[in-house]
């Protein structure tokens, strides 16, 4: 098994970036994800040039650990929050071109 790194770019609905992140934090979702087996890193970064953009850097011990992560109960809550505040999501691996 090899480590898996994912770069997820969220484009929040106009003016909703901070609200999205506050909702995640209020529910404790990032901390729950970081506590999952196989999670090596789960961090959000904000663009200073694009006010509605968020980069999520995820590192997992394996693709299997990341797949198990997607089935966790708190991921349903994250998807619900995303539906309200996120306009688009793009996923790529490091080295892939947009």
């Amino acid at each position: 098994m090899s480590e898996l790194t994912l770069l997820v770019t969220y484009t929040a609905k106009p003016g909703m970036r901070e609200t999205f992140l506050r909702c995640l934090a209020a529910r404790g979702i990032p901390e729950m994800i970081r506590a999952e087996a196989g999670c090596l890193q789960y961090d959000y970064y904000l663009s200073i040039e694009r006010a509605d953009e968020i980069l999520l850097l995820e590192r997992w011990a394996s693709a299997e650990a990341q797949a198990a992560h997607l089935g966790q109960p708190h991921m349903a809550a994250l998807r619900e929050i995303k539906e309200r505040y996120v306009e688009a999501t793009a996923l790529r691996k490091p080295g892939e071109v947009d």
Side-chain angles (χ1 to χ4, degrees):
M1 287 189 266
S2 63
E3 189 177 302
L4 174 67
T5 300
L6 298 173
L7 301 170
V8 183
T9 302
Y10 293 126
T11 302
K13 293 178 182 176
M16 293 289 118
R17 180 174 78 175
E18 302 303 322
T19 303
F20 170 67
L21 293 170
R22 278 196 302 274
C23 284
L24 294 180
R27 293 275 220 35
I29 293 171
E31 290 78 14
M32 286 187 264
I33 293 169
R34 290 180 189 120
E36 289 180 38
C39 182
L40 304 175
Q41 183 177 4
Y42 190 87
D43 293 309
Y44 292 97
Y45 298 89
L46 305 181
S47 172
I48 60 171
E49 296 169 347
R50 291 175 292 283
D52 295 320
E53 189 173 283
I54 304 161
L55 175 66
L56 167 61
L57 172 59
E58 296 185 51
R59 286 181 44 242
W60 296 90
S62 66
E64 294 80 10
Q66 197 271 338
H69 150 73
L70 295 175
Q72 297 299 314
H74 49 267
M75 291 306 292
L78 188 146
R79 284 187 288 275
E80 174 189 310
I81 293 167
K82 263 183 61 177
E83 284 180 25
R84 278 189 268 153
Y85 302 112
V86 173
E87 194 168 88
T89 303
L91 173 72
R92 65 184 173 88
K93 294 179 182 176
E96 292 179 346
V97 179
D98 288 336

